[in-house]
Amino acid sequence: RGFVCKEADGDEYLARRAFTEGHAAVVIDYVRLGGSPLCRPIKLLDWCREQGCELLGELRACVDLPPIPKGAAGAPAEALVKQAISALQGETVTPAAPDEPVLVRVVAVAATCADIEAGGLDFDCTKLIGCANSCPVYLPAVEEVPLDLDVSGDHCEDAVVVCASRDLGAPETACPGP
């Protein structure tokens, strides 16, 4: 669900940003939790507010998607992003998984991996395409990691901004725009 969101104040899918920019990337992050909080979104945010949740930037993985023709009107943008996320299924995205409970987060951005790396750990919220995260998980003990964004409806840009925030203890709650 986190990759088929529409803008908060419009009917365009966030994935359309990939066609505007001409490129997109998928970023995989791990968030240190310092324990095993409940999976409900508000409980995770409360946990991070109280305990602190550290983004493990040194383990960040980024995958550039194939170039996207600017203004392309072919397949719907959201299908392109879903296809890219599906291509990651079963792939090892980092050679050494954290040996502790973490939150796995996948963010799609209308930028290249080089642009994302140059920007540090924060994302430009005007280029976010989608985001989803796991429940707390101990990666060495699981085969696969289900991801989702807890939203109803498709006008969920603000939830994507929260999901992609660097600090889950004090997340951005809306994109201030360019």
Side-chain angles (χ1 to χ4, degrees):
R1 287 180 281 200
F3 300 99
V4 290
C5 289
K6 291 182 179 179
E7 296 171 342
D9 59 353
D11 284 327
E12 289 291 328
Y13 284 98
L14 299 180
R16 284 269 171 232
R17 295 171 176 174
F19 291 120
T20 303
E21 295 295 322
H23 44 254
V26 176
V27 178
I28 299 91
D29 281 321
Y30 303 95
V31 179
R32 174 176 285 139
L33 299 170
S36 296
L38 294 175
C39 189
R40 292 183 41 226
I42 194 66
K43 293 295 185 185
L44 283 169
L45 291 174
D46 286 347
W47 175 275
C48 290
R49 199 171 291 121
E50 294 167 12
Q51 306 294 325
C53 294
E54 177 188 359
L55 187 64
L56 300 173
E58 70 279 4
L59 295 178
R60 175 174 270 183
C62 187
V63 178
D64 279 313
L65 302 183
I68 301 162
K70 285 188 176 186
E78 60 275 14
L80 173 78
V81 174
K82 277 186 167 182
Q83 181 181 358
I85 300 296
S86 294
L88 291 176
Q89 287 184 334
E91 294 295 318
T92 300
V93 293
T94 207
D99 192 21
E100 62 187 287
V102 294
L103 191 76
V104 177
R105 176 179 75 182
V106 176
V107 182
V109 185
T112 64
C113 287
D115 292 338
I116 293 164
E117 186 176 326
L121 295 178
D122 294 311
F123 294 106
D124 176 346
C125 63
T126 65
K127 295 185 183 220
L128 291 172
I129 292 172
C131 185
N133 59 270
S134 70
C135 286
V137 60
Y138 180 64
L139 292 170
V142 298
E143 292 287 322
E144 66 179 50
V145 180
L147 302 169
D148 200 4
L149 185 65
D150 192 21
V151 294
S152 62
D154 53 5
H155 288 277
C156 46
E157 180 178 17
D158 290 346
V160 170
V161 171
V162 169
C163 176
S165 291
R166 178 179 185 174
D167 182 357
L168 295 179
E172 295 292 327
T173 56
C175 183

